[in-house]
Amino acid sequence: MIRNYSIINLKQLLVLVSVALLGLACNRPVVQIGSIPENTPEGARIYIAGNFNSWDPGDDRFTFDLGPDSNYYLKLPRGFGKLEYKITRGDWTTAETDICGYDIGNRSFSYRSSDTISISVESWKDLEPLNCPEVTIVVDKVPKNTPADEPIALAG
């Protein structure tokens, strides 16, 4: 008799846990892109790819809409747990990069942390970075008497 009572309580507990998870899954956060690089082609479609759509960089279901405030908006699918994603212009050759054009890691978000995810895209993989604060200096010649194993330093 006690065994049946425990099974009924276990079933009730599973139902309660399922309802609680569904309540968490009702959250549909919005991703807001506040800025994109100035050299983004006019009229370019902006996409999100992530673990929620098999990392499809040009999935038409996940295209951002340009709002009247010049921000881009996209409502994410319902879910719970950790979401990983990147922003693209339709394929991986046009994915977002850091300000100097280098690849970045996946962005991540926990569904319980917020209703809005505010981000900025700094640069695109296929376009020249505009605001990179780094400079590359190429040394073409050094004096003949410079020891081969000595470092060359720049002072300023």
Side-chain angles (χ1 to χ4, degrees), residues 36-93:
I36 59 173
E38 290 179 21
N39 61 349
T40 302
E42 189 173 334
R45 295 178 73 186
I46 312 293
Y47 299 84
I48 190 169
N51 57 358
F52 54 87
N53 72 343
S54 300
W55 291 97
D56 182 346
D59 188 339
D60 286 330
R61 298 174 299 159
F62 297 101
T63 306
F64 282 84
D65 293 318
L66 182 60
D69 60 357
S70 298
N71 290 318
Y72 290 84
Y73 294 94
L74 177 102
K75 197 173 267 197
L76 291 170
R78 287 181 171 80
F80 55 91
K82 184 177 178 183
L83 179 83
E84 291 191 13
Y85 65 97
K86 284 191 178 185
I87 307 302
T88 76
R89 291 193 343 269
D91 62 64
W92 291 116
T93 64

Side-chain angles (χ1 to χ4, degrees), residues 86-88 94-98 104 107 120-121 123-125:
K86 284 191 178 185
I87 307 302
T88 76
T94 62
E96 64 176 321
T97 62
D98 72 8
I104 60 173
R107 294 179 184 261
S120 293
V121 174
S123 192
W124 299 111
K125 190 174 199 134

Side-chain angles (χ1 to χ4, degrees), residues 21-30 51-53 61-62 74-83 109-112 114-115:
L21 287 176
L22 284 174
L24 289 174
C26 289
N27 187 18
R28 289 194 65 188
V30 173
N51 57 358
F52 54 87
N53 72 343
R61 298 174 299 159
F62 297 101
L74 177 102
K75 197 173 267 197
L76 291 170
R78 287 181 171 80
F80 55 91
K82 184 177 178 183
L83 179 83
F109 170 77
S110 176
Y111 269 98
R112 292 176 292 163
S114 178
D115 289 338

